[in-house]
Amino acid sequence: MDLGTTIIGGVSVAICAMPFVLTNRSKKKKVKQLLISLKNLAKEHNSEITQHDIFKYYAIGIDASKNSVSFILKTEEEEQSYFINLSTIKKCEIVKVGSSGAHSDKDIDKLDLKLSPVDKNKPDIMLEFYNAEVSYQLSDELQSIEKWNKTINNLLHSK
């Protein structure tokens, strides 16, 4: 009787743990694919990633020696990739859009890193770190965007 209970208990634990194991494995696979895509994007432009962050929907990395930023946004609908040479960028700033308007700290709907080119005829480059329509809950994106804003601005001011 004890052997039967042990077997049933073991099988029950395995069945309950299975979704967590599969979810974790899937998440690791997505992160790995994003990192490979980010490194390939940099490699296409004769650059390499020296520092990076990867989240559920985006990956960002820099090559400090070449003064460049690589960014990939991957949602279920589309994939966008950006390679930015920072020598063409004048400034970098965070844009928060909330339900009560731009620059709102309450109910953030969108979080972008805005890169303004030196050439005023070229449009601003908006790197999307968070969009409430894609991801329902803001996690560490705010800390990440602040970190990258500071990192990019340090590179811009060092040139």
Side-chain angles (χ1 to χ4, degrees):
M1 190 68 160
D2 288 332
L3 180 62
T5 305
T6 304
I7 292 172
I8 291 173
V11 169
S12 298
V13 168
I15 289 172
C16 291
M18 189 65 69
F20 298 106
V21 171
L22 294 176
T23 302
N24 191 25
R25 196 177 282 175
S26 173
K27 197 180 294 186
K28 283 182 181 181
K29 186 177 179 182
K30 270 186 179 178
V31 165
K32 189 175 182 179
Q33 287 175 339
L34 266 174
L35 181 58
I36 289 169
S37 296
L38 187 69
K39 287 183 176 183
N40 287 340
L41 174 64
K43 193 181 286 185
E44 287 173 19
H45 294 89
N46 298 320
S47 188
E48 66 179 51
I49 301 299
T50 55
Q51 181 182 355
H52 69 274
D53 271 346
I54 299 176
F55 279 78
K56 189 173 184 177
Y57 296 106
Y58 71 89
I60 184 169
I62 61 165
D63 183 342
S65 64
K66 298 249 175 111
N67 216 22
S68 64
V69 174
S70 300
F71 184 86
I72 293 181
L73 176 67
K74 192 171 192 172
T75 62
E76 290 180 16
E77 296 85 35
E78 64 179 323
E79 181 176 327
Q80 298 174 0
S81 59
Y82 301 91
F83 181 83
I84 303 119
N85 183 342
L86 291 178
S87 63
T88 64
I89 301 298
K90 176 176 56 175
K91 71 177 182 175
C92 174
E93 61 187 321
I94 297 171
V95 177
K96 296 178 190 174
V97 178
S99 53
S100 59
H103 304 294
S104 172
D105 283 338
K106 293 183 178 180
D107 299 326
I108 295 174
D109 291 333
K110 198 165 183 198
L111 206 55
D112 292 324
L113 194 59
K114 180 173 124 181
L115 302 170
S116 302
V118 174
D119 184 354
K120 295 184 192 274
N121 295 325
K122 292 189 176 181
D124 292 334
I125 300 166
M126 303 295 275
L127 305 179
E128 184 179 291
F129 277 62
Y130 173 75
N131 187 335
E133 292 177 10
V134 176
S135 180
Y136 301 112
Q137 190 171 10
L138 187 66
S139 57
D140 292 333
E141 290 90 351
L142 191 56
Q143 290 85 357
S144 177
I145 199 169
E146 288 171 352
K147 170 191 164 186
W148 285 101
N149 182 47
K150 183 178 178 184
T151 301
I152 293 170
N153 276 315
N154 286 341
L155 286 173
L156 290 174
H157 296 308
S158 68
K159 57 179 177 172

